Amino acid sequence: MNGPKINNDTYINRELSWIDFNKRVLELAIEEETPLLEKIKFSSIFSNNLDEFFMVRVASLKSQVEGGISKRSQDGKSPEEQLIEIRSYLDPILKTQQHKTKKFIEEDFKKDNIFILEYEELNQRQKVWIDNYFTTAIFPILTPLAVDPSHPFPFISNLSLNLAGIIVDSELNKEQFTRIKIPGESISRFISIPVELHDNASTEYTGIAIEQIIANNLSMLFPGMDVKEYSFFRVTRDADLELRDIEADDLMSALEEGLRKRRKGGEVVRLEVSKNTPKVILDLLQEGMNIEKENLYQIEGLLALDELIELTTLNLPKLKFKKHQGITHNSLKNSQLREQEELDTRNKSNYQSIFSIIRRNDLLVHHPYNLFSTSVEEFIYQAAEDKQVMGIKMTLYRISKDSLIIDALIRAAEKGKQVMALVELKARFDEDNNIQWAKQLEQAGVHVVYGVIGLKTHTKIALIIRKEKNRLRTYFHIGTGNYNSKTSKTYTDFGLLSCQPELGQDLIELFNYLTGFAKQQSYRKLLVAPVTLRSGIEKLIKREINYAKNGLPAKIIAKMNSLVDPEIIKLLYIASQAGVKIELIIRGMCCLYPQKKDLSENIKVTSIIGRFLEHSRIFWFNNDGDAEVFIGSADWMRRNLDRRVEAVTPIEDNQIKKEIKYLLDSYLEANTDCWKMQSDGSYIKNQILNDKKKYIQEKIIKLYTKDENLKNI
């Protein structure tokens, strides 16, 4: 189909769209309604997101500039032009974050009896305690490094916090530049001061940043010398791992070597310094690391604001969102084997295995509202313990460090079951963790594979093969999120538990494809990238276009993390112009312009940013009143559609389809925690009439507290 050209008028730069998303995260840190420690959390998340953005996206653009690559982005910008725009766009946002965070620490914290003090603000008893703490717990592990003709400028590791100082030898009247790395892994960023040293009896917490302690005890590090100047700095380096398409045996060793290099880091892409850094130190830092002015960021207040996340562990419930505890899916309440093992025989009469429950009906689990532990983990746990289970196959992308699923897979292998785990070693910033899991699984006898050469395996699937009445039946889970117990408490995700034969056969063939023994080109029901997902989604959109052209109601609702793919965007524009009503719920990057005259007047875009990270992907097509619904692991991005292994499954159970449609409609209501995208690409926070606050995630929490609520949808 011909359609509008993808250019600056029809496509938003993806880097700027990402910054817009992170700006919405920061807005949650600024809103009055957000509890204080949650404000700190969102500010920390903003900074952590930004670190990754510089390490990967900015680093890539800088590499293109340095390599003389002039290929333009979809919106027509050169790599150099994008870097200039990124800096221009970011500067005011960073100033807002620094100003607000400084206010939180210096004013708002104190109103709630939390004190993050400067060294000069300590009382005498606190100073004595802190100085003693420095002597015993910090001083021995510090290593001051001199820079002079015989000592070249030291390597500054990625994301490390450092002190730079000018030290004067008064006898020789000689100045010396020194660098001290602030210990970041062995010691907390904020040192808690004992309560008995507080001046105020109502004080909840008093602490001091570790760099403040070091800076005010420099005389111990340089006896007989004077400290003339000092300041703090931090560097961000290129941390993207470039890996060739190599065999699995070589992939692990190549990754391990790549991770060693990443810890040191590649080229510096950003230098952050305290705003009051003396010129002499600034010049030495820029010269020593060859930093251009456009890569220098002067920060007001604390550096490394991602480490503020430490403060959110304070036991102060009144300064946090009301604690949320998910519930067990109603259909699974009597199928908890781990709970049953703790009961005596008299209380076990109501127990039913999870497999008998799934045989009756497909189940949709919705995290964090439904507990991951009593659904997905219980599914894998029972598979490991069940004598009738012959085999387990799973994909593992990002796994928590204390994973019960890993334990279950190991136990299953030790019991003689056939267990296969596909561990995606190239899950960015989780590579090291996954390497350790892969080794542990292999040692236990699990068949570990690393996926298809040239593709990253991003799909979230688990397949159980169970012998029943002399035949094999497949049970499975297809999810939108990772098999990670930690993130399941903070990410919204769906999972389908089912034993539908055709989907089960599709998964058997997909796993054969992943282990390298099949070149599957078609599937019965699953949409699988990079084979059928793109063409399948395009076919579904085109069908709605045909309905609209024939005068029939046509509608698409799609929820995802990011919409970036130019071809899908172009097709959505064509659908809009044909009369298809399109509602998009996109948390992060959206490169499409909605409601633009003569282009996308039938497209609306909503972004939800709340206490939970909206991570589920849902695709709903009206299909002339007989709606087709899909969930899966893929966004509408080139990498998901063409360069990853992804699986998107149809939802065929009518009650589950009703539940999903109700949730989509709820997301599209006038909620306080949503932003509406404008025709120029900007976002406006939703304004509720009569100032009545409505939060969609709070509404969903209430929805899942009682099973009757779901039945009445």
Side-chain angles (χ1 to χ4, degrees), residues 493-530:
D493 274 304
F494 285 120
L496 175 69
L497 289 164
S498 175
C499 60
Q500 290 184 47
E502 286 185 293
L503 282 173
Q505 191 60 38
D506 275 352
L507 287 171
I508 290 171
E509 292 169 4
L510 177 54
F511 272 108
N512 287 340
Y513 170 70
L514 291 172
T515 55
F517 293 105
K519 293 185 177 179
Q520 197 74 13
Q521 294 301 309
S522 63
Y523 294 86
R524 295 159 188 79
K525 292 187 175 182
L526 283 182
L527 298 179
V528 175

Side-chain angles (χ1 to χ4, degrees), residues 68-100:
I69 298 170
S70 57
K71 183 180 178 182
R72 294 186 175 271
S73 58
Q74 291 290 337
D75 60 319
K77 294 181 176 67
S78 70
E80 191 168 21
E81 287 169 339
Q82 290 181 78
L83 286 171
I84 292 168
E85 284 207 41
I86 287 169
R87 179 66 196 252
S88 174
Y89 209 44
L90 262 182
D91 276 345
I93 301 172
L94 287 170
K95 284 177 183 173
T96 298
Q97 185 204 23
Q98 291 154 31
H99 171 72
K100 290 293 184 180

Side-chain angles (χ1 to χ4, degrees), residues 22 40 54 69 127 134 182 188 229 338 353 402 474 543 545 595 672:
N22 210 31
I40 290 297
F54 272 90
I69 298 170
K127 280 185 180 177
F134 173 81
I182 309 294
S188 297
E229 309 268 19
R338 284 177 289 181
S353 81
D402 54 349
T474 56
R543 186 177 64 187
I545 292 172
Q595 297 186 285
T672 308

